[in-house]
């Protein structure tokens, strides 16, 4: 078995085009026998704000891997300045033929890379739907996930990127934005400044209370990565609601669950990411309709990404070999 950490992932490198392609290929397999992923359980104890999530999955096709992601989220690590990240992520990969473990990851990067790469799939389809309009990007929350999203957009969609607006309640150090994008970036003093002037708006927060209370501008893509930022009234009229999996996302106090409970939203009124990719679902929307993407995070995507880095590590001789 091989051990890999964030340093090894950085050594192998990040090719966003490749990662987005891998996520799209896996999304095409959703709801077929080539993907098996039970509903993920949440382990909570002592402090109700803390959680650890188990995410097992099998991915067939060319990926051909199974395994489990075990990810914790302890907001107090950041709020009380303990010097620890909010999330800790481990992944174990197993050979699907024998069940033998082949790789062990201790890597926060895997989680942030997967999240941004899935957003990249949705953004790519939105770009096709919007026929090449200039991109005005807005990001709320400037932690690791927000930063990876800007890196992804800059690398893959940079030719169309005209402006970037960022807001974080703790402030944003301009030096944390890479030099090529810094001259396009506006550091805002409120989320409203970002929301009203972006046609791609990404929430990457750890918000415990909803705050977005007004409807999106026409044609806006809302990448609701943090899942709990919108009051139901702000998005209840949106027809272009996309989820990765209804059963996963319509729970745990997500914005989708609140739309379901308070406004009567039903699964058949939403599209899946697979519908968007395989059935060109966005073309069924009227011109100017906002798109509201709510990705709960699929274990299959994590297994695909981990398998990619495991095989690259084997090819390049990166990582630490663990013997029985």
């Amino acid at each position: 078995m091989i051990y890999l950490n964030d340093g090894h992932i950085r050594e192998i490198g990040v090719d966003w085009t490749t990662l987005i392609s891998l996520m799209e290929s896996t999304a095409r397999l959703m709801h077929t026998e080539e993907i098996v992923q039970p509903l993920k359980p949440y382990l909570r104890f002592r402090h109700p704000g803390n959680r650890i999530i188990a995410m097992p999955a099998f991915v067939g096709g060319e990926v051909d891997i199974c395994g489990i992601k075990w990810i914790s989220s302890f907001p107090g690590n950041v709020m009380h300045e303990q010097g620890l990240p909010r999330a800790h992520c481990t992944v174990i990969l197993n050979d699907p033929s024998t069940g033998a473990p082949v790789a062990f990851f201790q890597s926060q990067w895997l989680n942030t890379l997967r999240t941004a790469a899935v957003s990249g799939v949705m953004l790519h389809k939105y770009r096709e739907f919007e026929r090449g309009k200039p991109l005005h990007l807005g990001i709320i929350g400037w932690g690791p996930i927000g930063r990876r999203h800007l890196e992804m957009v800059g690398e893959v969609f940079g030719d169309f990127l005209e402006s970037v607006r960022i807001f974080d309640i703790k402030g944003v150090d301009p030096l944390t934005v890479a030099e090529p994008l810094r001259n396009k970036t506006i550091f805002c003093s409120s989320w409203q400044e970002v929301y009203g002037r972006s046609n791609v708006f990404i929430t990457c927060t750890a918000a415990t209370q909803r705050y977005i209370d007004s409807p999106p501008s026409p044609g806006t893509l809302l990448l609701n990565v943090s899942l709990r930022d919108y009051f139901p009234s702000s998005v209840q009229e949106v027809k272009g609601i996309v989820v990765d999996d209804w059963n996963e996302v319509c729970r745990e106090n997500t914005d989708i669950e609140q739309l379901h409970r308070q406004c009567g939203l039903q699964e058949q009124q939403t599209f899946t990411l697979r519908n968007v990719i395989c059935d060109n679902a966005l073309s069924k929307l009227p011109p100017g309709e906002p798109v509201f993407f709510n990705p709960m995070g699929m274990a299959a995507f994590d297994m695909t990404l981990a398998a990619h880095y495991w095989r690259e590590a084997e090819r390049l001789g990166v990582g630490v070999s663990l013997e029985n």
Side-chain angles (χ1 to χ4, degrees):
M1 183 166 67
I2 190 172
Y3 166 79
L4 296 163
N5 58 27
D6 282 344
H8 299 128
I9 301 299
R10 291 189 186 95
E11 185 177 349
I12 294 168
V14 178
D15 182 328
W16 284 110
T17 300
T18 296
L19 300 190
I20 291 170
S21 177
L22 288 169
M23 297 301 97
E24 179 172 339
S25 297
T26 299
R28 290 178 180 275
L29 297 177
M30 290 291 183
H31 310 296
T32 75
E33 63 183 11
E34 292 301 305
I35 287 185
V36 179
Q37 51 179 16
L39 197 69
K40 53 194 179 188
Y42 285 62
L43 176 65
R44 288 188 171 91
F45 52 92
R46 294 180 179 164
H47 193 290
N50 298 336
R51 66 182 187 235
I52 309 180
I53 309 171
M55 300 172 61
F58 160 75
V59 183
E62 295 182 358
V63 177
D64 196 33
I65 202 69
C66 59
I68 187 167
K69 176 181 176 180
W70 180 242
I71 180 164
S72 64
S73 175
F74 280 52
N77 289 353
V78 176
M79 289 189 295
H80 302 305
E81 298 182 351
Q82 295 184 28
L84 294 172
R86 177 182 63 83
H88 290 86
C89 176
T90 57
V91 174
I92 298 174
L93 296 181
N94 299 77
D95 184 326
S97 300
T98 66
V102 295
F104 176 85
F105 291 81
Q106 170 66 23
S107 172
Q108 277 66 258
W109 261 57
L110 275 185
N111 184 57
T112 60
L113 293 177
R114 181 269 283 164
T115 304
V118 172
S119 293
V121 176
M122 189 68 233
L123 180 52
H124 175 66
K125 295 303 173 184
Y126 165 83
R127 294 290 304 158
E128 292 178 353
F129 177 55
E130 285 296 312
R131 298 179 180 87
K133 289 182 181 177
L135 203 91
H136 297 281
L137 179 69
I139 300 174
I140 305 296
W142 192 237
I145 291 179
R147 297 181 192 200
R148 294 297 86 73
H149 273 82
L150 182 56
E151 290 172 12
M152 177 273 292
V153 172
E155 180 174 317
V156 180
F157 304 95
D159 290 346
F160 307 99
L161 185 60
E162 289 202 358
S163 69
V164 178
R165 286 176 170 81
I166 303 173
F167 170 72
D168 190 290
I169 57 174
K170 296 181 178 178
V172 178
D173 180 353
L175 295 180
T176 58
V177 177
E179 186 71 43
L181 295 175
R182 203 177 302 157
N183 62 354
K184 296 182 178 182
T185 301
I186 301 166
F187 302 96
C188 298
S189 58
S190 70
W191 67 265
Q192 290 94 336
E193 291 180 56
V194 183
Y195 189 55
R197 300 180 183 180
S198 306
N199 58 12
V200 175
F201 179 77
I202 313 177
T203 51
C204 303
T205 74
T208 57
Q209 306 240 339
R210 290 174 169 84
Y211 56 94
I212 298 175
D213 56 3
S214 57
S217 300
T220 303
L221 171 62
L222 309 173
L223 295 172
N224 189 21
V225 173
S226 42
L227 293 167
R228 298 168 184 88
D229 296 64
Y230 292 83
F231 285 106
S233 59
S234 68
V235 286
Q236 65 178 336
E237 300 299 327
V238 174
K239 303 297 188 294
I241 298 178
V242 182
V243 300
D244 46 11
D245 183 277
W246 172 267
N247 292 324
E248 283 284 7
V249 78
C250 190
R251 61 192 186 118
E252 294 293 329
N253 190 35
T254 64
D255 295 332
I256 291 295
E257 183 184 28
Q258 294 309 311
L259 280 168
H260 173 62
R261 290 181 179 274
Q262 298 184 35
C263 306
L265 179 71
Q266 301 297 317
E267 180 178 5
Q268 60 267 28
Q269 296 173 280
T270 68
F271 303 113
T272 65
L273 183 58
R274 187 176 189 273
N275 293 148
V276 170
I277 294 168
C278 299
D279 306 326
N280 198 23
L282 297 185
S283 67
K284 301 172 185 177
L285 298 174
E289 181 65 31
V291 176
F292 187 40
F293 181 44
N294 293 262
M296 191 66 158
M298 298 288 95
F301 293 137
D302 293 288
M303 296 309 109
T304 295
L305 188 67
H308 165 72
Y309 276 102
W310 162 55
R311 289 175 175 135
E312 283 296 285
E314 292 279 311
R315 182 178 69 85
L316 298 171
V318 174
V320 178
S321 178
L322 304 177
E323 303 293 338
N324 290 332

